[in-house]
mmCIF file of all heavy atoms in Angstrom:
data_model
loop_
_atom_site.group_PDB
_atom_site.id
_atom_site.type_symbol
_atom_site.label_atom_id
_atom_site.label_comp_id
_atom_site.label_asym_id
_atom_site.label_seq_id
_atom_site.Cartn_x
_atom_site.Cartn_y
_atom_site.Cartn_z
ATOM 1 N N SER A 157 29.873 -35.314 65.686
ATOM 2 C CA SER A 157 29.084 -35.273 64.451
ATOM 3 C C SER A 157 28.203 -36.516 64.287
ATOM 4 O O SER A 157 28.724 -37.623 64.097
ATOM 5 C CB SER A 157 30.020 -35.155 63.244
ATOM 6 O OG SER A 157 29.315 -35.354 62.039
ATOM 7 N N PRO A 158 26.873 -36.367 64.294
ATOM 8 C CA PRO A 158 25.994 -37.501 64.010
ATOM 9 C C PRO A 158 26.217 -38.072 62.612
ATOM 10 O O PRO A 158 26.073 -39.284 62.400
ATOM 11 C CB PRO A 158 24.589 -36.902 64.140
ATOM 12 C CG PRO A 158 24.764 -35.710 65.021
ATOM 13 C CD PRO A 158 26.117 -35.155 64.665
ATOM 14 N N ARG A 159 26.578 -37.214 61.663
ATOM 15 C CA ARG A 159 26.819 -37.680 60.289
ATOM 16 C C ARG A 159 28.022 -38.611 60.239
ATOM 17 O O ARG A 159 27.969 -39.681 59.621
ATOM 18 C CB ARG A 159 27.036 -36.474 59.366
ATOM 19 C CG ARG A 159 27.368 -36.837 57.932
ATOM 20 C CD ARG A 159 27.483 -35.592 57.085
ATOM 21 N NE ARG A 159 28.508 -34.698 57.564
ATOM 22 C CZ ARG A 159 29.806 -34.828 57.233
ATOM 23 N NH1 ARG A 159 30.206 -35.801 56.432
ATOM 24 N NH2 ARG A 159 30.695 -33.967 57.684
ATOM 25 N N ILE A 160 29.112 -38.232 60.905
ATOM 26 C CA ILE A 160 30.288 -39.084 60.947
ATOM 27 C C ILE A 160 29.983 -40.361 61.722
ATOM 28 O O ILE A 160 30.405 -41.460 61.336
ATOM 29 C CB ILE A 160 31.473 -38.334 61.588
ATOM 30 C CG1 ILE A 160 31.876 -37.128 60.734
ATOM 31 C CG2 ILE A 160 32.659 -39.272 61.795
ATOM 32 C CD1 ILE A 160 32.400 -37.487 59.355
ATOM 33 N N GLN A 161 29.234 -40.245 62.800
ATOM 34 C CA GLN A 161 28.855 -41.414 63.591
ATOM 35 C C GLN A 161 28.131 -42.439 62.723
ATOM 36 O O GLN A 161 28.424 -43.638 62.769
ATOM 37 C CB GLN A 161 27.965 -41.003 64.760
ATOM 38 C CG GLN A 161 27.560 -42.172 65.668
ATOM 39 C CD GLN A 161 26.385 -41.826 66.573
ATOM 40 O OE1 GLN A 161 25.427 -41.173 66.143
ATOM 41 N NE2 GLN A 161 26.458 -42.252 67.827
ATOM 42 N N ALA A 162 27.170 -41.966 61.927
ATOM 43 C CA ALA A 162 26.384 -42.871 61.093
ATOM 44 C C ALA A 162 27.248 -43.544 60.025
ATOM 45 O O ALA A 162 27.111 -44.741 59.756
ATOM 46 C CB ALA A 162 25.240 -42.105 60.440
ATOM 47 N N LYS A 163 28.160 -42.780 59.418
ATOM 48 C CA LYS A 163 29.015 -43.337 58.365
ATOM 49 C C LYS A 163 29.981 -44.375 58.928
ATOM 50 O O LYS A 163 30.224 -45.419 58.314
ATOM 51 C CB LYS A 163 29.780 -42.220 57.659
ATOM 52 C CG LYS A 163 28.896 -41.353 56.775
ATOM 53 C CD LYS A 163 29.707 -40.341 55.974
ATOM 54 C CE LYS A 163 28.818 -39.552 55.022
ATOM 55 N NZ LYS A 163 29.589 -38.596 54.203
ATOM 56 N N LEU A 164 30.536 -44.109 60.099
ATOM 57 C CA LEU A 164 31.429 -45.082 60.714
ATOM 58 C C LEU A 164 30.669 -46.330 61.147
ATOM 59 O O LEU A 164 31.178 -47.458 61.029
ATOM 60 C CB LEU A 164 32.146 -44.453 61.914
ATOM 61 C CG LEU A 164 33.190 -43.384 61.601
ATOM 62 C CD1 LEU A 164 33.738 -42.779 62.888
ATOM 63 C CD2 LEU A 164 34.345 -43.951 60.767
ATOM 64 N N ALA A 165 29.454 -46.154 61.640
ATOM 65 C CA ALA A 165 28.642 -47.291 62.080
ATOM 66 C C ALA A 165 28.351 -48.230 60.919
ATOM 67 O O ALA A 165 28.344 -49.463 61.089
ATOM 68 C CB ALA A 165 27.344 -46.790 62.708
ATOM 69 N N ARG A 166 28.126 -47.669 59.737
ATOM 70 C CA ARG A 166 27.864 -48.509 58.555
ATOM 71 C C ARG A 166 29.086 -49.334 58.169
ATOM 72 O O ARG A 166 28.977 -50.328 57.452
ATOM 73 C CB ARG A 166 27.418 -47.639 57.378
ATOM 74 C CG ARG A 166 25.995 -47.105 57.528
ATOM 75 C CD ARG A 166 25.452 -46.572 56.224
ATOM 76 N NE ARG A 166 26.095 -45.349 55.801
ATOM 77 C CZ ARG A 166 25.677 -44.128 56.135
ATOM 78 N NH1 ARG A 166 24.606 -43.983 56.915
ATOM 79 N NH2 ARG A 166 26.301 -43.061 55.702
ATOM 80 N N GLN A 167 30.261 -48.924 58.652
ATOM 81 C CA GLN A 167 31.497 -49.666 58.378
ATOM 82 C C GLN A 167 31.912 -50.531 59.570
ATOM 83 O O GLN A 167 33.007 -51.081 59.589
ATOM 84 C CB GLN A 167 32.616 -48.676 58.054
ATOM 85 C CG GLN A 167 32.332 -47.814 56.827
ATOM 86 C CD GLN A 167 33.347 -46.697 56.675
ATOM 87 O OE1 GLN A 167 34.515 -46.923 56.350
ATOM 88 N NE2 GLN A 167 32.910 -45.461 56.921
ATOM 89 N N GLY A 168 31.026 -50.637 60.563
ATOM 90 C CA GLY A 168 31.290 -51.519 61.690
ATOM 91 C C GLY A 168 31.957 -50.868 62.883
ATOM 92 O O GLY A 168 32.319 -51.565 63.840
ATOM 93 N N MET A 169 32.136 -49.537 62.863
ATOM 94 C CA MET A 169 32.745 -48.839 64.000
ATOM 95 C C MET A 169 31.652 -48.068 64.736
ATOM 96 O O MET A 169 31.164 -47.046 64.259
ATOM 97 C CB MET A 169 33.847 -47.885 63.540
ATOM 98 C CG MET A 169 34.479 -47.099 64.692
ATOM 99 S SD MET A 169 35.823 -45.994 64.172
ATOM 100 C CE MET A 169 37.180 -47.162 64.038
ATOM 101 N N ALA A 170 31.265 -48.569 65.902
ATOM 102 C CA ALA A 170 30.195 -47.946 66.685
ATOM 103 C C ALA A 170 30.792 -47.062 67.773
ATOM 104 O O ALA A 170 31.494 -47.543 68.663
ATOM 105 C CB ALA A 170 29.311 -49.015 67.307
ATOM 106 N N LEU A 171 30.524 -45.765 67.680
ATOM 107 C CA LEU A 171 30.997 -44.804 68.672
ATOM 108 C C LEU A 171 29.842 -43.917 69.102
ATOM 109 O O LEU A 171 28.999 -43.546 68.278
ATOM 110 C CB LEU A 171 32.124 -43.933 68.097
ATOM 111 C CG LEU A 171 33.476 -44.607 67.864
ATOM 112 C CD1 LEU A 171 34.397 -43.680 67.083
ATOM 113 C CD2 LEU A 171 34.115 -44.999 69.188
ATOM 114 N N PRO A 172 29.789 -43.554 70.385
ATOM 115 C CA PRO A 172 28.703 -42.695 70.847
ATOM 116 C C PRO A 172 28.935 -41.234 70.490
ATOM 117 O O PRO A 172 30.066 -40.827 70.204
ATOM 118 C CB PRO A 172 28.740 -42.890 72.369
ATOM 119 C CG PRO A 172 30.200 -43.137 72.654
ATOM 120 C CD PRO A 172 30.703 -43.938 71.479
ATOM 121 N N LEU A 173 27.871 -40.463 70.532
ATOM 122 C CA LEU A 173 28.001 -39.021 70.494
ATOM 123 C C LEU A 173 28.364 -38.542 71.898
ATOM 124 O O LEU A 173 28.310 -39.302 72.862
ATOM 125 C CB LEU A 173 26.701 -38.380 70.014
ATOM 126 C CG LEU A 173 26.295 -38.692 68.570
ATOM 127 C CD1 LEU A 173 24.927 -38.111 68.268
ATOM 128 C CD2 LEU A 173 27.336 -38.183 67.582
ATOM 129 N N VAL A 174 28.726 -37.283 72.025
ATOM 130 C CA VAL A 174 29.251 -36.760 73.291
ATOM 131 C C VAL A 174 28.282 -36.967 74.445
ATOM 132 O O VAL A 174 28.653 -37.486 75.507
ATOM 133 C CB VAL A 174 29.594 -35.260 73.152
ATOM 134 C CG1 VAL A 174 29.983 -34.672 74.507
ATOM 135 C CG2 VAL A 174 30.730 -35.065 72.145
ATOM 136 N N GLU A 175 27.037 -36.585 74.262
ATOM 137 C CA GLU A 175 26.088 -36.682 75.364
ATOM 138 C C GLU A 175 25.787 -38.131 75.709
ATOM 139 O O GLU A 175 25.516 -38.454 76.879
ATOM 140 C CB GLU A 175 24.824 -35.896 75.035
ATOM 141 C CG GLU A 175 25.079 -34.384 74.971
ATOM 142 C CD GLU A 175 23.807 -33.580 74.866
ATOM 143 O OE1 GLU A 175 22.869 -34.056 74.194
ATOM 144 O OE2 GLU A 175 23.747 -32.482 75.445
ATOM 145 N N GLU A 176 25.817 -39.013 74.722
ATOM 146 C CA GLU A 176 25.640 -40.436 75.003
ATOM 147 C C GLU A 176 26.787 -40.974 75.848
ATOM 148 O O GLU A 176 26.584 -41.761 76.778
ATOM 149 C CB GLU A 176 25.553 -41.216 73.681
ATOM 150 C CG GLU A 176 24.323 -40.875 72.845
ATOM 151 C CD GLU A 176 24.381 -41.446 71.437
ATOM 152 O OE1 GLU A 176 25.493 -41.808 70.979
ATOM 153 O OE2 GLU A 176 23.319 -41.520 70.788
ATOM 154 N N ALA A 177 27.998 -40.538 75.537
ATOM 155 C CA ALA A 177 29.168 -40.980 76.305
ATOM 156 C C ALA A 177 29.128 -40.440 77.728
ATOM 157 O O ALA A 177 29.452 -41.147 78.687
ATOM 158 C CB ALA A 177 30.446 -40.533 75.605
ATOM 159 N N LEU A 178 28.739 -39.180 77.892
ATOM 160 C CA LEU A 178 28.639 -38.604 79.229
ATOM 161 C C LEU A 178 27.586 -39.329 80.060
ATOM 162 O O LEU A 178 27.784 -39.572 81.260
ATOM 163 C CB LEU A 178 28.307 -37.116 79.128
ATOM 164 C CG LEU A 178 29.439 -36.208 78.636
ATOM 165 C CD1 LEU A 178 28.909 -34.802 78.349
ATOM 166 C CD2 LEU A 178 30.578 -36.154 79.648
ATOM 167 N N ALA A 179 26.473 -39.677 79.432
ATOM 168 C CA ALA A 179 25.431 -40.415 80.140
ATOM 169 C C ALA A 179 25.938 -41.783 80.585
ATOM 170 O O ALA A 179 25.641 -42.239 81.694
ATOM 171 C CB ALA A 179 24.195 -40.569 79.252
ATOM 172 N N SER A 180 26.741 -42.424 79.720
ATOM 173 C CA SER A 180 27.308 -43.724 80.071
ATOM 174 C C SER A 180 28.276 -43.615 81.245
ATOM 175 O O SER A 180 28.264 -44.446 82.163
ATOM 176 C CB SER A 180 28.026 -44.317 78.852
ATOM 177 O OG SER A 180 28.685 -45.525 79.178
ATOM 178 N N LEU A 181 29.105 -42.586 81.234
ATOM 179 C CA LEU A 181 30.055 -42.388 82.338
ATOM 180 C C LEU A 181 29.321 -42.093 83.643
ATOM 181 O O LEU A 181 29.700 -42.586 84.708
ATOM 182 C CB LEU A 181 31.022 -41.255 81.991
ATOM 183 C CG LEU A 181 32.030 -41.543 80.875
ATOM 184 C CD1 LEU A 181 32.807 -40.287 80.527
ATOM 185 C CD2 LEU A 181 32.979 -42.665 81.259
ATOM 186 N N GLN A 182 28.290 -41.294 83.549
ATOM 187 C CA GLN A 182 27.509 -40.979 84.741
ATOM 188 C C GLN A 182 26.854 -42.242 85.301
ATOM 189 O O GLN A 182 26.872 -42.483 86.514
ATOM 190 C CB GLN A 182 26.438 -39.941 84.415
ATOM 191 C CG GLN A 182 25.623 -39.491 85.628
ATOM 192 C CD GLN A 182 24.470 -38.589 85.245
ATOM 193 O OE1 GLN A 182 23.892 -38.735 84.172
ATOM 194 N NE2 GLN A 182 24.135 -37.662 86.127
ATOM 195 N N ALA A 183 26.305 -43.068 84.416
ATOM 196 C CA ALA A 183 25.658 -44.305 84.847
ATOM 197 C C ALA A 183 26.652 -45.281 85.469
ATOM 198 O O ALA A 183 26.281 -46.096 86.324
ATOM 199 C CB ALA A 183 24.959 -44.960 83.656
ATOM 200 N N SER A 184 27.923 -45.177 85.054
ATOM 201 C CA SER A 184 28.965 -46.049 85.600
ATOM 202 C C SER A 184 29.483 -45.565 86.951
ATOM 203 O O SER A 184 30.338 -46.218 87.555
ATOM 204 C CB SER A 184 30.131 -46.149 84.614
ATOM 205 O OG SER A 184 29.709 -46.718 83.393
ATOM 206 N N GLY A 185 28.993 -44.414 87.387
ATOM 207 C CA GLY A 185 29.395 -43.892 88.677
ATOM 208 C C GLY A 185 30.590 -42.966 88.646
ATOM 209 O O GLY A 185 31.120 -42.593 89.702
ATOM 210 N N CYS A 186 31.025 -42.564 87.453
ATOM 211 C CA CYS A 186 32.166 -41.646 87.357
ATOM 212 C C CYS A 186 31.723 -40.253 87.799
ATOM 213 O O CYS A 186 30.665 -39.766 87.400
ATOM 214 C CB CYS A 186 32.695 -41.599 85.921
ATOM 215 S SG CYS A 186 33.349 -43.183 85.343
ATOM 216 N N ARG A 187 32.565 -39.608 88.599
ATOM 217 C CA ARG A 187 32.216 -38.303 89.145
ATOM 218 C C ARG A 187 33.167 -37.197 88.705
ATOM 219 O O ARG A 187 32.816 -36.021 88.746
ATOM 220 C CB ARG A 187 32.210 -38.357 90.687
ATOM 221 C CG ARG A 187 31.251 -39.363 91.285
ATOM 222 C CD ARG A 187 29.836 -39.130 90.814
ATOM 223 N NE ARG A 187 29.398 -37.759 91.061
ATOM 224 C CZ ARG A 187 28.415 -37.158 90.402
ATOM 225 N NH1 ARG A 187 27.784 -37.790 89.438
ATOM 226 N NH2 ARG A 187 28.068 -35.920 90.694
ATOM 227 N N ARG A 188 34.393 -37.554 88.323
ATOM 228 C CA ARG A 188 35.401 -36.558 87.935
ATOM 229 C C ARG A 188 35.952 -36.944 86.564
ATOM 230 O O ARG A 188 36.706 -37.919 86.439
ATOM 231 C CB ARG A 188 36.492 -36.469 88.999
ATOM 232 C CG ARG A 188 36.004 -35.899 90.322
ATOM 233 C CD ARG A 188 37.002 -36.054 91.442
ATOM 234 N NE ARG A 188 37.216 -37.462 91.776
ATOM 235 C CZ ARG A 188 36.376 -38.176 92.543
ATOM 236 N NH1 ARG A 188 35.294 -37.612 93.042
ATOM 237 N NH2 ARG A 188 36.631 -39.435 92.810
ATOM 238 N N VAL A 189 35.580 -36.177 85.558
ATOM 239 C CA VAL A 189 35.853 -36.539 84.165
ATOM 240 C C VAL A 189 36.674 -35.449 83.478
ATOM 241 O O VAL A 189 36.369 -34.258 83.599
ATOM 242 C CB VAL A 189 34.531 -36.750 83.389
ATOM 243 C CG1 VAL A 189 34.819 -37.142 81.935
ATOM 244 C CG2 VAL A 189 33.672 -37.809 84.076
ATOM 245 N N VAL A 190 37.701 -35.877 82.745
ATOM 246 C CA VAL A 190 38.451 -34.984 81.875
ATOM 247 C C VAL A 190 38.053 -35.280 80.434
ATOM 248 O O VAL A 190 38.073 -36.444 79.999
ATOM 249 C CB VAL A 190 39.972 -35.165 82.037
ATOM 250 C CG1 VAL A 190 40.723 -34.375 80.960
ATOM 251 C CG2 VAL A 190 40.419 -34.707 83.417
ATOM 252 N N VAL A 191 37.668 -34.251 79.708
ATOM 253 C CA VAL A 191 37.305 -34.383 78.289
ATOM 254 C C VAL A 191 38.475 -33.872 77.460
ATOM 255 O O VAL A 191 38.767 -32.673 77.453
ATOM 256 C CB VAL A 191 36.021 -33.595 77.963
ATOM 257 C CG1 VAL A 191 35.645 -33.783 76.484
ATOM 258 C CG2 VAL A 191 34.879 -34.035 78.872
ATOM 259 N N LEU A 192 39.152 -34.783 76.779
ATOM 260 C CA LEU A 192 40.270 -34.424 75.905
ATOM 261 C C LEU A 192 39.715 -34.150 74.514
ATOM 262 O O LEU A 192 39.294 -35.071 73.808
ATOM 263 C CB LEU A 192 41.296 -35.557 75.860
ATOM 264 C CG LEU A 192 42.475 -35.367 74.903
ATOM 265 C CD1 LEU A 192 43.312 -34.158 75.307
ATOM 266 C CD2 LEU A 192 43.336 -36.629 74.838
ATOM 267 N N SER A 193 39.695 -32.889 74.124
ATOM 268 C CA SER A 193 39.136 -32.524 72.818
ATOM 269 C C SER A 193 40.232 -32.543 71.759
ATOM 270 O O SER A 193 41.233 -31.845 71.889
ATOM 271 C CB SER A 193 38.485 -31.141 72.884
ATOM 272 O OG SER A 193 39.437 -30.135 73.169
ATOM 273 N N LEU A 194 40.024 -33.339 70.735
ATOM 274 C CA LEU A 194 40.996 -33.427 69.639
ATOM 275 C C LEU A 194 40.604 -32.430 68.545
ATOM 276 O O LEU A 194 40.202 -32.795 67.444
ATOM 277 C CB LEU A 194 41.053 -34.862 69.091
ATOM 278 C CG LEU A 194 41.387 -35.949 70.117
ATOM 279 C CD1 LEU A 194 41.551 -37.305 69.427
ATOM 280 C CD2 LEU A 194 42.641 -35.598 70.911
ATOM 281 N N PHE A 195 40.733 -31.160 68.905
ATOM 282 C CA PHE A 195 40.403 -30.073 67.988
ATOM 283 C C PHE A 195 41.640 -29.216 67.775
ATOM 284 O O PHE A 195 42.371 -28.918 68.721
ATOM 285 C CB PHE A 195 39.254 -29.219 68.530
ATOM 286 C CG PHE A 195 37.909 -29.865 68.391
ATOM 287 C CD1 PHE A 195 37.507 -30.860 69.269
ATOM 288 C CD2 PHE A 195 37.053 -29.494 67.374
ATOM 289 C CE1 PHE A 195 36.274 -31.474 69.140
ATOM 290 C CE2 PHE A 195 35.813 -30.090 67.232
ATOM 291 C CZ PHE A 195 35.416 -31.090 68.116
ATOM 292 N N PHE A 196 41.838 -28.807 66.547
ATOM 293 C CA PHE A 196 43.009 -28.013 66.211
ATOM 294 C C PHE A 196 42.805 -26.541 66.538
ATOM 295 O O PHE A 196 43.703 -25.875 67.054
ATOM 296 C CB PHE A 196 43.341 -28.185 64.723
ATOM 297 C CG PHE A 196 44.714 -27.706 64.355
ATOM 298 C CD1 PHE A 196 45.805 -28.544 64.523
ATOM 299 C CD2 PHE A 196 44.922 -26.431 63.869
ATOM 300 C CE1 PHE A 196 47.079 -28.101 64.205
ATOM 301 C CE2 PHE A 196 46.189 -25.989 63.549
ATOM 302 C CZ PHE A 196 47.270 -26.829 63.714
ATOM 303 N N ALA A 197 41.627 -26.038 66.230
ATOM 304 C CA ALA A 197 41.357 -24.609 66.437
ATOM 305 C C ALA A 197 39.899 -24.406 66.792
ATOM 306 O O ALA A 197 39.068 -25.311 66.669
ATOM 307 C CB ALA A 197 41.705 -23.818 65.172
ATOM 308 N N ASN A 198 39.579 -23.204 67.245
ATOM 309 C CA ASN A 198 38.190 -22.856 67.546
ATOM 310 C C ASN A 198 37.347 -22.918 66.278
ATOM 311 O O ASN A 198 37.832 -22.731 65.161
ATOM 312 C CB ASN A 198 38.114 -21.445 68.130
ATOM 313 C CG ASN A 198 38.548 -21.400 69.578
ATOM 314 O OD1 ASN A 198 38.013 -22.137 70.404
ATOM 315 N ND2 ASN A 198 39.512 -20.559 69.899
ATOM 316 N N GLY A 199 36.060 -23.168 66.462
ATOM 317 C CA GLY A 199 35.133 -23.223 65.342
ATOM 318 C C GLY A 199 33.766 -23.664 65.831
ATOM 319 O O GLY A 199 33.525 -23.807 67.030
ATOM 320 N N LYS A 200 32.850 -23.900 64.907
ATOM 321 C CA LYS A 200 31.478 -24.243 65.273
ATOM 322 C C LYS A 200 31.403 -25.550 66.054
ATOM 323 O O LYS A 200 30.636 -25.669 67.024
ATOM 324 C CB LYS A 200 30.609 -24.327 64.014
ATOM 325 C CG LYS A 200 30.344 -22.977 63.359
ATOM 326 C CD LYS A 200 29.423 -23.123 62.160
ATOM 327 C CE LYS A 200 29.134 -21.755 61.522
ATOM 328 N NZ LYS A 200 28.241 -21.888 60.336
ATOM 329 N N GLU A 201 32.166 -26.559 65.628
ATOM 330 C CA GLU A 201 32.107 -27.839 66.331
ATOM 331 C C GLU A 201 32.642 -27.712 67.750
ATOM 332 O O GLU A 201 32.120 -28.333 68.683
ATOM 333 C CB GLU A 201 32.897 -28.907 65.557
ATOM 334 C CG GLU A 201 32.217 -29.399 64.306
ATOM 335 C CD GLU A 201 30.884 -30.096 64.588
ATOM 336 O OE1 GLU A 201 30.829 -30.899 65.530
ATOM 337 O OE2 GLU A 201 29.917 -29.825 63.863
#
């Protein structure tokens, strides 16, 4: 969520969005990645 990202950033917690994080991992040379999704159930997100 960009909205949650912005609100946390205003409180001093800087976290990337998903595609930003994937780009960072790719740039670091990572080739095999597991994405642990902290989701309870299916939905739009």
Side-chain angles (χ1 to χ4, degrees):
S157 169
R159 177 177 59 85
I160 296 296
Q161 182 196 41
K163 289 186 176 182
L164 290 176
R166 287 195 290 270
Q167 299 170 71
M169 178 178 280
L171 289 171
L173 295 174
V174 173
E175 293 189 324
E176 295 169 342
L178 288 170
S180 175
L181 291 173
Q182 183 187 32
S184 298
C186 297
R187 301 304 306 158
R188 293 169 294 280
V189 181
V190 171
V191 182
L192 176 63
S193 64
L194 303 186
F195 284 78
F196 195 84
N198 283 305
K200 290 183 179 179
E201 286 297 316

